[in-house]
Amino acid sequence: SDEHLDLDDGRWEDIHVVTGALKLFFRELTEPLVPFSHFDKFIAAIKMQDPTRRGRCIRDLVFSLPPAHHDTMKVLFRHLCRVIEYKEENRMSVQSIAIVFGPTLLRPASEEGNMAMHMVFQNQVVEHILNQYSYIF
């Protein structure tokens, strides 16, 4: 929206407010960061047994995203990698970040099917991209 935010306002000092706003922004997008059209492709890729093929396939899928999605993902994941560098202080490991962001960034068009199973794979995709950031981007 066109609302002007003063980030020097004291209410933004609580990191939970900022992180909550970031998650809410991505959760409320009409289409997630990983478009619905790519959901099944990412899930199929993360299920591949051969790690080399899996890595190449996920990198190719990220590259195939529309430019706005790809560029946003690059910036977001670069930031999340920096957050992970401080995991001893903030308790946000790769797995924790994946659990928080997996279902928000990557979700099916409809909630039919096994949501619990989807969540496992959604988290694994995010975890893979975080772990392989420099290779993927």
Side-chain angles (χ1 to χ4, degrees):
S1 73
D2 292 329
E3 181 181 350
H4 175 73
L5 296 176
D6 178 10
L7 295 179
D8 290 326
D9 183 330
R11 65 183 163 163
W12 298 109
E13 289 178 15
D14 182 356
I15 193 65
H16 300 290
V17 172
V18 177
T19 57
L22 181 65
K23 290 186 297 186
L24 183 63
F25 169 79
F26 283 107
R27 188 170 42 249
E28 290 193 349
L29 289 173
T30 306
E31 184 165 53
L33 188 59
V34 173
F36 295 127
S37 61
H38 285 65
F39 178 81
D40 289 332
K41 296 172 189 175
F42 272 93
I43 299 303
I46 201 66
K47 290 180 179 180
M48 290 180 177
Q49 295 300 311
D50 177 24
T52 304
R53 259 186 82 218
R54 179 176 53 238
R56 197 174 318 127
C57 188
I58 290 177
R59 184 191 62 192
D60 292 348
L61 283 168
V62 169
F63 186 75
S64 76
L65 293 173
H69 293 249
H70 175 275
D71 296 348
T72 301
M73 180 180 278
K74 183 177 182 179
V75 171
L76 174 64
F77 277 73
R78 181 175 48 214
H79 172 70
L80 294 175
C81 285
R82 284 196 311 257
V83 170
I84 292 164
E85 288 176 17
Y86 296 93
K87 65 183 173 197
E88 298 304 321
E89 292 88 28
N90 61 28
R91 295 178 292 187
M92 293 305 291
S93 65
V94 173
Q95 296 82 9
S96 300
I97 296 278
I99 288 168
V100 169
F101 280 95
T104 299
L105 302 178
L106 181 82
R107 62 182 189 269
S110 71
E111 294 299 330
E112 297 171 7
N114 190 339
M115 283 180 40
M117 201 57 170
H118 277 168
M119 198 170 297
V120 169
F121 295 124
Q122 290 161 298
N123 297 352
Q124 287 177 357
V125 169
V126 170
E127 190 172 331
H128 179 88
I129 296 170
L130 288 167
N131 284 327
Q132 300 298 318
Y133 179 85
S134 57
Y135 171 72
I136 293 172
F137 294 103

